[in-house]
Amino acid sequence: HPHVFCVSTSHEEGCERVWAVQTLAFEGRGGRVEAVRTVDVEPGPLGPDGRRQAVPVAGTERRWAADLVLIAVGFVGAERSLPERLGAALTPRGTVATDAGYRTAAEGVFAAGDARRGASLVVWAIAEGREAARAVDHHLTGFIALPTKGDGDLVV
């Protein structure tokens, strides 16, 4: 499929898009994120799993100030190291294990969409993303202010 550059209202509001960036570390204190360290990458050789490996570009490491990190990735199989480092478990199918409220075993870490279900339709990813956002909002604020996809209540 061709890569199509699209602009949405969110982009018009001033977000910055970056590609080919690998997360090196989350920095913070007291269980709160304060920054994300990244490095630019370029395509490298094929790895033992047949997937192209990302090779860091020397001199491109950056530190991004952050107080909330949302990771949105297309599903090609869960990268085992990130969920494991965060304390989240994987299912036998390789997806991130959650409860009905999208919470993982790690405090304050949620998963939805392909990372939770496996490769599926985009409408499922959108619906799960909205429900996960609702669960995260409840986690952060202590009350439910966002609508749900149906008549059901958020599992808390």
Side-chain angles (χ1 to χ4, degrees):
H1 298 284
H3 293 281
V4 178
F5 185 80
C6 296
V7 175
S8 74
T9 54
S10 300
H11 302 117
E12 291 170 351
E13 290 178 9
C15 77
E16 179 183 355
R17 297 192 243 193
V18 294
W19 287 271
V21 175
Q22 181 179 32
T23 300
L24 298 175
F26 298 111
E27 298 175 352
R29 289 178 284 189
R32 300 227 179 252
V33 68
E34 294 175 348
V36 180
R37 281 193 308 113
T38 65
V39 66
D40 292 352
V41 294
E42 60 188 13
L46 293 178
D49 60 359
R51 294 193 292 181
R52 180 96 30 217
Q53 302 296 300
V55 176
V57 177
T60 62
E61 190 170 320
R62 287 178 281 187
R63 184 178 188 274
W64 307 76
D67 56 13
L68 174 68
V69 176
L70 302 172
I71 302 171
V73 295
F75 190 78
V76 292
E79 176 66 40
R80 301 187 84 79
S81 64
L82 178 60
E84 290 171 356
R85 284 193 323 235
L86 294 174
L90 296 176
T91 69
R93 292 182 42 225
T95 58
V96 179
T98 67
D99 64 13
Y102 301 90
R103 291 178 295 261
T104 69
E107 176 64 26
V109 177
F110 296 76
D114 290 357
R116 180 176 110 98
R117 295 176 54 88
S120 187
L121 299 173
V122 70
V123 293
W124 276 112
I126 292 167
E128 287 218 348
R130 288 178 174 164
E131 290 298 297
R134 189 169 188 251
V136 170
D137 184 57
H138 177 264
H139 176 78
L140 295 173
T141 66
F143 61 91
I144 298 172
L146 298 175
T148 187
K149 66 182 176 190
D151 295 332
D153 289 328
L154 173 69
V155 177
V156 291

